[in-house]
Amino acid sequence: HAHLRLMTSLPEKLLPGLGWDDFLDAIKHDQGAFMHHPLPQGEARALGKGIFTLDSFGQLYCGTKIRGVFHHSSFVRGHCVKVAGGIEIKDGWLVELSPHSGHYQPGTEHVDEMIGVWKQRGVDFSSVALKPFMKS
């Protein structure tokens, strides 16, 4: 995008035959506004299932799953991970951990290592519901 830095002003014309309404419709399209079930916006995004991914470098990513759009591999763009699964956090406290994702199948040693590191960093597992590593 280096060529954009050389621009001294914004273009006055869009693509030939397209106007601002087309441009705004394209933004709405990208945001999923025209989908049969539009993507959740604002606070509604937090109502979905919590997911996490621990990448191969130990970086933890957490977010909300949006079926068919955003899932475990979205955090790392499909690259290798150690552990991935479901997570529930309430009022800043870890409540439930489900170290399985359907796609990623973490080994027991990876999950145990992750939990050990989290405990060393102060995560209290005394009230955490730990789900099975494999979906039944």
Side-chain angles (χ1 to χ4, degrees):
H1 296 118
H3 67 283
L4 296 176
R5 288 187 215 117
L6 301 176
M7 294 175 59
T8 57
S9 64
L10 293 174
E12 293 182 20
K13 288 176 91 176
L14 296 174
L15 294 174
L18 297 178
W20 281 109
D21 287 337
D22 299 304
F23 177 76
L24 295 174
D25 282 346
I27 291 175
K28 289 178 188 174
H29 176 271
D30 286 350
Q31 294 175 340
F34 301 127
M35 295 173 66
H36 182 65
H37 297 288
L39 300 175
Q41 299 290 318
E43 292 181 15
R45 294 181 67 200
L47 300 177
K49 177 184 174 187
I51 57 173
F52 78 94
T53 298
L54 183 70
D55 74 11
S56 57
F57 300 102
Q59 181 71 40
L60 176 67
Y61 301 89
C62 295
T64 304
K65 180 177 182 174
I66 302 173
R67 187 176 297 275
V69 176
F70 190 85
H71 32 79
H72 300 95
S73 62
S74 301
F75 292 117
V76 294
R77 297 175 304 282
H79 290 279
C80 296
V81 304
K82 286 185 181 177
V83 183
I87 192 167
E88 184 177 348
I89 300 171
K90 286 189 180 174
D91 299 323
W93 293 93
L94 180 60
V95 175
E96 182 178 286
L97 190 64
S98 308
H100 57 71
S101 73
H103 176 75
Y104 296 109
Q105 303 292 325
T108 304
E109 66 279 359
H110 292 118
V111 176
D112 289 344
E113 178 186 348
M114 178 187 76
I115 290 172
V117 169
W118 290 8
K119 284 181 177 179
Q120 288 175 353
R121 293 182 179 171
V123 177
D124 180 6
F125 276 83
S126 63
S127 299
V128 175
L130 185 58
K131 299 288 183 156
F133 296 4
M134 303 295 282
K135 288 185 178 182
S136 47

